[in-house]
Amino acid sequence: MADKKARLTVDGIDEVFELPVYTGTMGPDVIDVRALTGKGLFTYDPGFVSTAACDSAITYIDGGKGVLLHGGYPIEQLAENSDYLEVCFLLLNGELPTPEQKQTFVDTVKNHTMVHEQMLHFFNGFRRDAHPMAIMVGVVGALSAFYHDSLDIDDAHHREVCAYRLIAKMPTIAAMCYKYSIGQPFQYPRNDLDYADNFLQMMFGNPCSDYVTNPTLAKAMDKIFLLHADHEQNASTSTVRLAGSSGANPFACISAGIAALWGPAHGGANEAVLTMLSEIGDESNIEEFIQRAKDPEDSFRLMGFGHRVYRNFDPRAKVMKQTCDEVLAELGIENDPLLRIAKRLEQIALEDPYFVERKLYPNVDFYSGIILKAVGIPTNMFTVIFALSRTIGWISHWSEFHSSPNKIGRPRQLYTGPVKRDYPKK
């Protein structure tokens, strides 16, 4: 039931529209405009930045206050006390697991880490220099050809099985994309390792010698996975929901999400940070680029500073900064030229009045880019790791969408083309 009513008058229409106003548990009220369609009216909202296209109980963001909650739990508390797979359980089920539920969940994920052996042949169809995201889009979409025993989207158990498979297999596929690009044999998953440890050994291990993961690096990877797990109705999540509204299978929907994430305005942000650091090139050039960033007439922008959603600060960045400092100290690579540029930029952004007044603080992409470089992951793999992390958010929203009555998505438009005209006579 609506808590309030909004009244709308439109010039030329002799009627006052009474529109229901709904109030969620948190956040702004929303006006139900569906009744306008029957009167030949649509609302106009390019980018859907002022439109609630769904109701959801998974994640809440208040960008003005720098708040990010999963199931009501602040991201800072989850990052301190939880791990990625526990957050996966929370996003899927709405509650944190008991110790017994957590163990069962982890064991089930570990039992699904391998991919069908025939899928290895898919990689041979790609050029060795193909972007890893191009490979991932194709391979994840093809999962439906191998796991078609659980594609009934109206069956809750099938949806659960698909979620487990995707959470478990994405690290394996991501590592395979990397191994293929450098010409090394694929490294099989090991079920005796934790989620992040397993990913690192698949990335950097080889059949010739045992790979022993560094606990600090494994912890950092788990933090990156956790902090990128979900971010409400962003472009890729909305893409997954829209694709899912057609009844498409979950693997195809996640592939669509990966494609949307690939864009530099979305998932490519941390890759753009490293590109920017390379462009600056040397600490001696920092002042020049800072002045360019302040010049409204200059097209140069500092990547990894500020955030479209967070108008105050990115709550994930504080956690990522601490993790970044721990990784750099552990590896002893503070003198790496690009990392020295990054640390100097961080200092300037936190002290310079220009950046402080505009709240252009370093965001999660800035710190995660530095960590991934320090770990030894190439920049073209950054977005792949983002996709790996975000898969749980995508499949949770997809499952939530199909857990209740739904409609196929059908946005409207403001038509600005020619009016009806006759085909010219010959």
Side-chain angles (χ1 to χ4, degrees):
M1 294 291 292
D3 302 298
K4 294 175 280 189
K5 296 280 187 180
R7 289 174 174 78
L8 173 68
T9 59
V10 181
D11 290 346
I13 298 180
D14 188 22
E15 181 178 351
V16 176
F17 297 99
E18 284 202 350
L19 306 174
V21 179
Y22 299 105
T23 301
T25 53
M26 298 179 73
D29 292 346
V30 297
I31 301 173
D32 186 343
V33 297
R34 286 175 290 183
L36 298 180
T37 304
K39 300 296 182 179
L41 294 171
F42 305 142
T43 56
Y44 184 61
D45 182 22
F48 306 110
V49 294
S50 301
T51 298
C54 65
D55 54 83
S56 178
I58 297 173
T59 296
Y60 173 77
I61 294 173
D62 185 330
K65 296 179 180 178
V67 171
L68 170 59
L69 308 177
H70 293 323
Y73 296 102
I75 191 64
E76 302 92 330
Q77 294 181 22
L78 290 171
E80 181 179 354
N81 301 296
S82 191
D83 60 26
Y84 178 66
L85 286 184
E86 186 167 80
V87 170
C88 287
F89 185 98
L90 171 64
L91 293 174
L92 279 172
N93 299 284
E95 297 291 344
L96 289 170
T98 64
E100 293 77 16
Q101 289 174 324
K102 169 76 178 294
Q103 190 59 55
T104 300
F105 185 81
V106 170
D107 290 343
T108 305
V109 169
K110 285 184 175 182
N111 288 332
H112 284 288
T113 53
M114 290 184 67
V115 297
H116 194 289
E117 193 73 6
Q118 194 175 342
M119 292 201 72
L120 276 59
H121 302 299
F122 273 56
F123 288 83
N124 293 327
F126 293 95
R127 287 171 53 114
R128 287 284 177 181
D129 60 354
H131 196 289
M133 284 293 279
I135 300 174
M136 181 171 256
V137 167
V139 173
V140 171
L143 286 172
S144 59
F146 294 87
Y147 302 103
H148 43 71
D149 61 330
S150 58
L151 295 183
D152 183 353
I153 60 177
D154 297 319
D155 186 310
H157 177 65
H158 281 209
R159 294 197 299 269
E160 183 181 39
V161 170
C162 284
Y164 277 115
R165 283 175 168 163
L166 281 161
I167 297 165
K169 297 181 194 305
M170 286 298 276
T172 307
I173 293 171
M176 291 169 75
C177 291
Y178 172 64
K179 287 296 194 184
Y180 182 76
S181 70
I182 61 174
Q184 288 189 4
F186 299 138
Q187 191 81 350
Y188 285 100
R190 284 176 45 188
N191 292 350
D192 61 314
L193 297 177
D194 292 337
Y195 195 84
D197 290 283
N198 190 33
F199 173 68
L200 289 174
Q201 76 85 18
M202 287 191 290
M203 282 285 292
F204 300 118
N206 65 72
C208 301
S209 60
D210 291 333
Y211 178 80
V212 179
T213 55
N214 181 312
T216 300
L217 303 189
K219 177 184 174 184
M221 286 305 308
D222 193 80
K223 284 284 191 293
I224 286 177
F225 296 158
L226 187 155
L227 294 173
H228 289 87
D230 189 48
H231 211 234
E232 207 211 75
Q233 306 304 319
N234 52 78
S236 57
T237 301
S238 297
T239 297
V240 171
R241 275 186 174 264
L242 190 59
S245 75
S246 72
N249 75 75
F251 302 112
C253 295
I254 299 304
S255 182
I258 295 169
L261 186 74
W262 193 355
H266 190 4
N270 51 12
E271 186 174 344
V273 170
L274 267 292
T275 302
M276 174 196 70
L277 296 178
S278 298
E279 184 180 354
I280 294 173
D282 189 89
E283 285 185 90
S284 62
N285 299 326
I286 290 179
E287 187 57 36
E288 173 194 343
F289 280 89
I290 289 293
Q291 293 308 314
R292 289 183 59 188
K294 295 178 179 180
D295 183 357
E297 303 299 321
D298 196 308
S299 60
F300 175 78
R301 294 291 180 268
L302 284 179
M303 306 304 296
F305 294 86
H307 195 281
R308 180 184 178 186
V309 172
Y310 299 110
R311 302 308 181 190
N312 191 342
F313 65 93
D314 184 341
R316 302 166 298 173
K318 196 174 294 185
V319 178
M320 204 86 275
K321 171 179 166 51
Q322 179 182 344
T323 302
C324 182
D325 293 338
E326 291 171 358
V327 167
L328 296 184
E330 173 71 18
L331 297 177
I333 55 174
E334 293 93 337
N335 290 324
D336 178 278
L338 289 188
L339 297 181
R340 286 178 63 88
I341 294 172
K343 297 302 287 183
R344 177 60 185 144
L345 286 176
E346 175 196 28
Q347 181 183 7
I348 292 172
L350 294 174
E351 297 176 356
D352 189 313
Y354 177 89
F355 296 99
V356 173
E357 290 169 6
R358 291 165 175 77
K359 296 182 170 59
L360 296 176
Y361 305 117
N363 60 34
V364 69
D365 299 308
F366 179 79
Y367 293 114
S368 64
I370 296 172
I371 292 171
L372 293 174
K373 181 188 185 305
V375 170
I377 294 172
T379 54
N380 65 357
M381 280 291 297
F382 286 8
T383 317
V384 170
I385 290 173
F386 195 162
L388 185 171
S389 311
R390 184 56 56 83
T391 294
I392 179 57
W394 292 333
I395 198 64
S396 296
H397 283 274
W398 175 87
S399 183
E400 181 184 61
F401 176 85
H402 285 293
S403 298
S404 58
N406 56 72
K407 290 184 177 181
I408 185 170
R410 181 53 170 93
R412 301 294 186 161
Q413 67 173 13
L414 175 64
Y415 178 68
T416 58
V419 298
K420 180 182 177 182
R421 49 186 173 175
D422 293 325
Y423 189 84
K425 294 182 180 180
K426 296 183 179 177

